Amino acid sequence: MTLGGRVLEALGLTAAAAAVYQAMLDQPRDGVDQLARHCNLSPGQVHDCLDELGQLMLVRASSEYPGQMRAVSPEVGLADMLARQEAELAARQAQVAASRAAVTRMVAERAEHRATHGERLLGMDAIQSRLEQLARAMTHECLGVHPGASHRPEDLAAARAADEGPLARGVTMKTLYQDSTRNDPHTTTHAHWLLNQGSEVRTAPVLPQRLVIFDRAHAIVPIDPANTRKGALHVTEPGIVNALIDLFEQTWNTAVPLGALRLDEPQTGLTDTERELLRLLGNGLTDDVAGQRLGISSRTVGRHMASIMERLGATSRFEAGIKAAHRGWL
C-alpha cells in the first residue's frame, strides 16, 4: 500500500475506495472498466467505491466526459473532508462535556440530599450498589464490623471484588469478625487474604451490629439488625458517624488480632468467650439468645457451661453463677 493509500484509510476510506480515488487522480479519463482492471476490482465493486467516494464528496460528475465521474483534487476534497470531521469531533466533545456536567450536577444533588437526610437502601442490590460506589470513592480508610459465626461464600466473594481496588490504592482496612468465625473456613480464608493485602483483622467474642465506615465520613448500618438483608441506612451526619467510629474503636481495642492465640485469663482460666457467656446468661438471656450474640450454637453454649461448672465444682447453673460471682469472675 502506498503512503497516500494509508493516509486515505486513516481518514476513513476503505482500501478499495482509496485505490479507486488514487487511480482516478492518476488516470482522470479512465471509465469504470479501466478502473476495475487497474485496481483489480470488478465493475460492481468500482461502482460501490464511487458511491462511497461520492458520499465523502471526493468525486463529482464529469463535465467533460458525460456519464463519468471525476476525482476532486486532494487540496480541495480532503481539506473539506478534514474540516467536516473536525466539526463532528467538536460537536461530539461539546456533547460529552454537557453530559459530564449533567452527571456532575446529579451526583452533587444526590450527595447533598444524603448528607441532609441520610438515605434508606432497600434490598441487597441497593446496599451492594452503594457499597461499590463508596469503595470506589474512598481514599483513606475503611472500618468494618461483621458479626456472625460464618459468612456466605458469595458475600465474601463480592466483598473481595469490592476491596481489591481500594487496597491497590493503599486504603487502610480494619475488619472485625466474631471469635466464632475462626472455625469457619470460608471466613478465615477471606480474612487471611485481607491480611496478605496489608489489612488488619481482629476478632472479639461479641460484636455490635454490622457496620461499615468509609473515610470516617460515610457509614452504612442495617435498618433491622436482626435481618441485615432487608436494607440499610447510609449516614453522613458527623455526630452519628463519630459515635459509630467510637463504638468501632472501643471494640477494636479489646479485640485480638487474627493469627494471635486468645489465651485463658490466668486468674480464672476463662476464655473471653466463656467470660462473656457467663455475663450474658447472668443477665437472664437464654442459651439460644446468648449463642446468637456469641455466634455459636446452643449446643456449644451447653458445652461451655458444662466445662465452667466442672471447674467451679458446681452441680447446677445456679450454683455455678453464685460461685463465679464469689470468685469475681463476673
Side-chain angles (χ1 to χ4, degrees):
M1 181 184 296
T2 65
L3 177 60
R6 287 196 293 269
V7 170
L8 291 170
E9 286 192 44
L11 291 173
L13 275 74
T14 63
V20 170
Y21 180 65
Q22 286 186 306
M24 293 177 70
L25 290 172
D26 296 336
Q27 304 292 332
R29 295 184 179 182
D30 283 358
V32 171
D33 292 338
Q34 291 90 341
L35 289 171
R37 287 193 296 271
H38 183 80
C39 299
N40 294 321
L41 299 171
S42 68
Q45 289 174 315
V46 171
H47 280 295
D48 291 340
C49 292
L50 291 173
D51 289 341
E52 180 181 340
L53 293 169
Q55 291 175 356
L56 296 173
M57 300 182 188
L58 292 178
V59 295
R60 294 175 184 168
S62 172
S63 301
E64 186 174 353
Y65 303 100
Q68 290 189 199
M69 305 295 289
R70 68 175 178 87
V72 178
S73 67
E75 294 84 354
V76 176
L78 296 183
D80 288 347
M81 185 175 172
L82 276 175
R84 289 194 301 273
Q85 290 183 347
E86 289 173 347
E88 291 171 0
L89 178 60
R92 178 60 181 156
Q93 288 175 332
Q95 181 182 5
V96 171
S99 298
R100 182 180 292 110
V103 169
T104 301
R105 285 196 301 272
M106 183 178 73
V107 171
E109 289 170 359
R110 287 178 60 81
E112 182 180 358
H113 176 81
R114 289 196 299 268
T116 305
H117 305 95
E119 184 174 4
R120 291 169 67 88
L121 309 170
L122 301 179
M124 285 304 300
D125 286 344
I127 296 172
Q128 191 61 43
S129 177
R130 182 55 46 80
L131 290 173
E132 290 170 356
Q133 292 171 12
L134 294 173
R136 180 184 292 271
M138 70 175 165
T139 59
H140 174 57
E141 178 186 61
C142 182
L143 310 177
V145 179
H146 306 284
S150 62
H151 299 272
R152 303 194 317 167
E154 55 267 35
D155 291 341
L156 295 172
R160 178 169 180 166
D163 291 344
E164 285 176 332
L167 287 170
R169 298 196 303 271
V171 170
T172 299
M173 288 194 174
K174 294 182 177 180
T175 304
L176 279 168
Y177 287 115
Q178 213 148 353
D179 278 349
S180 51
T181 58
R182 290 176 180 249
N183 299 317
D184 177 58
H186 298 296
T187 306
T188 53
T189 296
H190 179 73
H192 281 99
W193 176 80
L194 287 172
L195 289 176
N196 291 334
Q197 304 303 310
S199 299
E200 296 183 68
V201 180
R202 296 186 181 184
T203 69
V206 176
L207 294 179
Q209 68 180 19
R210 190 177 300 275
L211 166 68
V212 186
I213 303 172
F214 298 87
D215 284 340
R216 299 187 171 239
H218 301 263
I220 301 292
V221 296
I223 293 174
D224 180 2
N227 184 0
T228 58
R229 304 183 74 80
K230 266 187 184 178
L233 186 65
H234 177 187
V235 180
T236 55
E237 288 288 348
I240 299 175
V241 173
N242 288 338
L244 293 171
I245 292 171
D246 289 343
L247 177 63
F248 175 90
E249 291 180 340
Q250 289 170 11
T251 309
W252 181 262
N253 291 336
T254 58
V256 172
L258 187 69
L261 294 177
R262 209 178 252 287
L263 301 176
D264 296 350
E265 188 178 322
Q267 293 180 344
T268 66
L270 294 175
T271 65
D272 285 350
T273 297
E274 290 172 336
R275 176 178 288 280
E276 187 63 25
L277 176 59
L278 278 175
R279 187 186 70 80
L280 293 173
L281 294 177
N283 288 336
L285 272 64
T286 64
D287 285 10
D288 287 342
V289 175
Q292 289 173 6
R293 293 288 302 276
L294 293 167
I296 59 179
S297 67
S298 56
R299 182 176 297 179
T300 303
V301 170
R303 286 201 299 269
H304 278 306
M305 282 306 302
S307 174
I308 293 169
M309 290 167 61
E310 182 179 356
R311 277 176 276 169
L312 288 169
T315 58
S316 68
R317 290 193 179 187
F318 179 74
E319 182 183 359
I322 294 175
K323 288 187 174 181
H326 286 166
R327 295 190 187 187
W329 289 14
L330 295 175

